[in-house]
Amino acid sequence: MTLPPVVHTQVFTGEVSLHVALAGPEDGPPVVLLHGFPECWWGWHHQIGPLVDAGFRVIVPDQRGYGQSDKPRRTRDYAMPHLLGDVVGLLDALHIDRVNLVCHDWGGAVGWTLALTHPERLRRFVPMNMPHPGVFLRELRHRRQWKRSLYIAAFQVPFLPERQLLARDCQPLVSALFGNTVHKPFTEDDLRVYREAWTRPGAIRGMLAWYRAAVRHRPAPPPHRTFDGPAMLIWGRRDKALGFPMVAPSAERLTDGRLEVIDDAGHFVQHDRPDRVNELLVDFLTG
C-alpha cells in the first residue's frame, strides 16, 4: 500500500513536543490517529492513504515517550491527565475545535478518556481493541483477564524490562507484534522503522512508563460514563491481550455507536485486516 506524501513536524502541546506526521489536504476534515504499544506513527501507515484519498487531513502523532516525541524522565509525567493533555494541546495548537478520532490500544485508552472527558472536541470516535476504561477495570477482577494482563505487573520492575525488550535486536517486541496477529502482516520495512523508534535514547523507558504510571498514578474516573456522539468500536476477535467479554459492555457505553467485530484478526487489527478496517473507517467517517 503506497504511502501518500507525508510532512513531518514537531508540535508543542503545552508540556511536550510531539513528532507529528501530516498528510492530505489542509482544508480537509481532520482525523487524528493515536497509536498504542509498542508502535509509533508508522502503525497507521495502512490507513493514511485511504483516508487521504477520501479527502481527510490526517494527523498522526508519536505519543509522548515514543519515536521522535519528547520523553520525560519521571513516571508521573505519563499519568493519564498528561496523556490526555497532549491530545487536547495538539488540537489547540493546530486550531482544531472538533476532530474525528481513531485510536488503538493505549491510544484507545487516551481516546476513551478524551471522549468521556471532553466529548465536545469529537466529531466521530473510533476505538480499536481497547475497551471502555470502566469495563476494563471491572474485568480485571476476573482471573480470565488478570492472567492476560500479567505482563503489566512484569513491566513494573525497574530497569530489567528495558534490557529484556531491547535484547537480541528487540526480538521480544517483534514477537509481541507477530504473536497477537492472525496473518503475521509485519514486513522487514515495518520492523526497521519500529527498531529505529524503539532504540532511540529513552524510548523504551518512556514506553514502559505508560504502564507504570497507570498503576502508580491512577486517574479519577472521567466525568461521563458514556459517549453520546457517533462512534464505532472495531475489534479483532482473536486478541490475546484483551478478552472478548469486554467488547459488548464497551459498545453499550457508546449510545450512538455500532460494533464491528473482525473474526480473523488479532489485537493489531489495523495491520491484520487493513482492507476491512479502511473500508469501515472511510464509510463511517464520511457518513
Side-chain angles (χ1 to χ4, degrees):
M1 194 170 295
T2 303
L3 197 67
V6 174
V7 174
H8 296 269
T9 188
Q10 296 289 133
V11 177
F12 183 66
T13 65
E15 287 189 5
V16 294
S17 177
L18 298 183
H19 164 252
V20 182
L22 302 168
E26 293 186 10
D27 60 350
V31 55
V32 168
L33 311 178
L34 296 180
H35 69 83
F37 180 91
E39 301 199 84
C40 60
W41 77 272
W42 184 256
W44 296 105
H45 73 279
H46 291 298
Q47 284 67 52
I48 294 174
L51 289 171
V52 167
D53 290 343
F56 288 96
R57 177 64 164 172
V58 183
I59 302 159
V60 197
D62 284 337
Q63 299 206 75
R64 74 164 62 193
Y66 284 84
Q68 300 177 57
S69 291
D70 284 351
K71 303 168 181 62
R73 292 194 60 84
R74 301 184 307 177
T75 298
R76 71 183 67 173
D77 291 329
Y78 294 84
M80 185 55 72
H82 297 286
L83 308 177
L84 177 63
D86 288 347
V87 181
V88 174
L90 175 63
L91 299 182
D92 290 344
L94 298 178
H95 307 291
I96 298 171
D97 292 328
R98 299 176 68 220
V99 71
N100 299 294
L101 183 66
V102 179
C103 45
H104 174 257
D105 186 75
W106 261 114
V110 178
W112 273 106
T113 305
L114 180 64
L116 301 174
T117 305
H118 299 290
E120 73 282 356
R121 301 306 298 265
L122 298 185
R123 293 183 181 274
R124 291 174 179 260
F125 174 47
V126 185
M128 299 185 190
N129 280 76
M130 176 53 66
H132 180 285
V135 172
F136 179 68
L137 289 175
R138 186 179 67 194
E139 183 67 13
L140 273 178
R141 301 171 189 168
H142 296 280
R143 181 177 177 84
R144 61 192 180 194
Q145 182 58 47
W146 180 80
K147 289 175 64 178
R148 292 172 182 260
S149 300
L150 281 175
Y151 68 94
I152 298 176
F155 284 170
Q156 304 305 311
V157 177
F159 308 119
L160 181 61
E162 284 89 332
R163 293 198 294 270
Q164 291 179 329
L165 291 178
L166 292 176
R168 306 186 309 281
D169 200 19
C170 307
Q171 186 57 44
L173 290 167
V174 173
S175 297
L177 294 173
F178 280 102
N180 211 340
T181 55
V182 174
H183 301 290
K184 314 304 178 188
F186 299 99
T187 68
E188 283 303 317
D189 285 341
D190 295 333
L191 298 182
R192 176 183 53 79
V193 173
Y194 286 139
R195 285 189 177 104
E196 181 180 348
W198 296 333
T199 55
R200 286 180 174 272
I204 289 295
R205 184 191 67 243
M207 293 160 61
L208 292 173
W210 285 57
Y211 291 95
R212 292 165 177 166
V215 172
R216 302 172 197 177
H217 306 282
R218 286 182 58 177
H224 302 289
R225 182 175 179 272
T226 62
F227 176 68
D228 300 330
M232 175 174 60
L233 174 60
I234 298 176
W235 201 277
R237 182 184 290 270
R238 293 168 67 177
D239 192 330
K240 296 179 180 178
L242 297 169
F244 198 72
M246 292 186 286
V247 176
S250 296
E252 291 171 1
R253 307 293 178 94
L254 303 170
T255 58
D256 185 19
R258 63 192 249 204
L259 171 62
E260 295 287 347
V261 176
I262 301 178
D263 290 332
D264 61 332
H267 179 71
F268 297 96
V269 60
Q270 75 273 37
H271 296 278
D272 238 349
R273 283 296 308 278
D275 51 348
R276 180 58 179 153
V277 168
N278 295 342
E279 178 184 37
L280 289 170
L281 287 179
V282 171
D283 175 70
F284 177 70
L285 295 178
T286 58

